[in-house]
Amino acid sequence: MTYNAPNRIKGKGGPRAGAGRPPGDKETGPGYELAMWIDARIDELLASRGWQANDLTSRLGYQKPNILSQWRSGRSRVPIEKLVQLSSLFNIDLALLLRMWLEQYIGTHEDAPALLGVFDRVVTEEEFEIVKAHRAASGESRTV
């Protein structure tokens, strides 16, 4: 009699979750935007800083660099408390990361459109400076 490892059920973890998966097998699509974003940018970040994966993970408070591959593949979700650090490291607006983070947790919940709608008008720092300059030039006194 041979032992067959259980198949990985999408969205379910466990001690054998992901065992035997091909290296390029990633969770993608709705709810995995943050994983896809990290996957697309992590190598660039490491190269630009001259870091290895363990340099980044130690800065994030992890002892083993395998958390990055879990985040990249969507097998593990980024804890909300790591978003501020990631925002700073990637030089990206925290609101954008928070929106992607929310998408992975609320998915198709009935309140999802209203919650995610708060972040529909996210702008870059450069765009924000343009908005502030426009407001100053027009005499608008609204708080920025």
Side-chain angles (χ1 to χ4, degrees), residues 23-131:
D25 190 15
K26 296 183 179 2
E27 302 285 1
T28 59
Y32 290 96
E33 287 82 2
L34 185 55
M36 293 185 303
W37 186 87
I38 289 173
D39 185 46
R41 288 163 183 82
I42 198 76
D43 293 329
E44 179 183 315
L45 173 70
L46 294 175
S48 72
R49 305 272 173 112
W51 292 349
Q52 298 295 319
N54 60 345
D55 297 320
L56 175 58
T57 53
S58 68
R59 283 175 170 79
L60 292 170
Y62 294 95
Q63 293 181 354
K64 297 182 181 179
N66 67 335
I67 190 65
L68 294 181
S69 64
Q70 292 174 6
W71 288 354
R72 292 173 79 148
S73 67
R75 288 185 300 240
S76 180
R77 296 182 182 211
V78 178
I80 193 169
E81 63 270 11
K82 299 300 178 188
L83 293 182
V84 172
Q85 291 171 290
L86 290 173
S87 171
S88 176
L89 289 168
F90 281 102
N91 194 26
I92 186 168
D93 186 26
L94 180 59
L96 179 60
L97 290 179
L98 185 57
R99 179 188 172 96
M100 289 187 284
W101 182 88
L102 278 170
E103 286 174 341
Q104 64 181 8
Y105 284 97
I106 62 177
T108 59
H109 188 275
E110 64 187 51
D111 293 331
L115 290 171
L116 294 175
V118 170
F119 299 98
D120 279 346
R121 296 194 181 254
V122 175
V123 296
T124 65
E125 287 295 322
E126 293 82 16
E127 292 168 332
F128 188 58
E129 292 302 319
I130 293 169
V131 169

